[in-house]
Every structure is written in structure tokens, then in C-alpha cells.
Amino acid sequence: QGSPSTSLGLNSNSYNWERHKQAIVDIMNRRMGEGNEVVKVVGHYMRKRDWIGSIRSPDQCFVPSNFKIPPHMDEVKHRIFRNLQFFLSNYVIFALLVLLYGIFRSSVALMCVLVLCIGWYYGLQLKHIKIGDVILAEKYKLWAMASISSIVLLLCAGNVLLWIVIFSTIPILLHATLHIPMSASMSKKDDDHDPENPMGDKDNDEADDDNKGPSRRLNASRKDDEEGDESDHQRLG
């Protein structure tokens, strides 16, 4: 039989391990909750935006007189923010074309994407995924599938992904920086709405409460997350 001090030491180590384990689980749950709120905000904006109707014509995108070097950094930030909203549909189409070209240009990337698509097709049909003794619920299943897909893409087609990111991001940022933002009246007419209020000025009071709900929940989640991190650091310490 072990001495009482040895037994107390084992019990203390086991208790500390359980505390650390629970603190790590709590941190992961909060991070996933914040990620889910971000997804809700982005999804809300994507559903409300008229993607087809907000495609800008070449006359709006490439008129030489609309391009001018910004005089200072504040103007750069303003132009990028406004133009990303106004030309978002065009930017997405351009990024998708670069993505498709990069994938079909590389046989390895094409095979990797096809395998991942098949995996996602079968994975989404499962209510949960069991890995050993661990059963992943719906939201954890999606995060696990996204993480595995990202790792596989980086390992198998990392150079292609880097090429796609560079050749899609740089032209978009250059256009958004050099193009003078369109007028406010034209923005409203062409369905250029802020992500926080995709419905614009129509039914303003009701729409404001409805559309800002996800962002408010996200801000509240971040505030709770900061408070939780302090308590977790104290527990881990």
C-alpha cells in the first residue's frame, strides 16, 4: 500500500488535470460559439444581398476617370470599405474565376477538391461522426470537417492555394484602393447596403432590430469571452 502522502499527491494531480481539462474545453466552446456568431452574421448578409442585381457593369468598374491615387491612408481605408460593399458581387465572381482556373490548372488540386467534395457529401449526411470513443455533434462535426479539409488542401495543394490567394487578392485590393467610391445615391439605388443593415432604409426601425441582432449577439459573445478568458487564465494558473 502507498503512503498517505503519495495518495494525496495522486489525487491532487488528478484534480489539477481535471481542472485544466475543463478549462480548455470551456475555452474551445466559447471560441466555437464566437465562430458560430460570425457565421450567422456573414450568412445573414449573404442571404439579404441581391447578388445578381448588384453586379456592376464595366462602365462602373473600369472607367479611367474614376481611378485616382488616394491622398492619405484614411482615404485608402474609406475606399476599400466602400468599394468592397459596392463591387462585392464583381469581386466574388473574379475570385471564383481565379479559383476555378487554379484548380483545373493543377491535376493534384483538382483530385484533392473532388475527394473533399465526396467526403463532404457523405459527411453532411451523417448526424454525427464517431472517432474512437468520441462522438462529434453537428456543430463540432462541421468544424472538424472544415479543419481537416483545410489541412488536406494545405498539404496537397498549398502552392496552388497561395497562387490563387495572391492573384485574386492583389487585383481586388488595387481596384478597391484606386477606384473612387460611387455616390451614396447610386449605392442605395444599386442595393449597396451595409452588412449590419442589409435591408437599407425600408422599414428602418424593424429592420434595424432584425439585422443588427446577430452583430449584437456577436459583440456580447466577445465581451463574455474576454471575461471568461480572465477566469480561465486564473484557473489554469
Side-chain angles (χ1 to χ4, degrees), residues 29-41 143 218 221:
N29 287 335
R30 275 196 296 274
R31 292 289 181 264
M32 288 186 176
E34 183 177 351
N36 290 334
E37 291 295 335
V38 173
V39 171
K40 289 179 181 179
V41 172
W143 282 106
L218 178 58
S221 175

Side-chain angles (χ1 to χ4, degrees), residues 44 196-200 202-216:
H44 183 79
E196 302 241 342
N197 188 15
M199 294 179 65
K202 187 185 297 184
D203 297 330
N204 194 32
D205 294 336
E206 181 180 355
D208 184 66
D209 292 337
D210 178 61
N211 294 324
K212 290 187 178 180
S215 60
R216 287 180 183 142

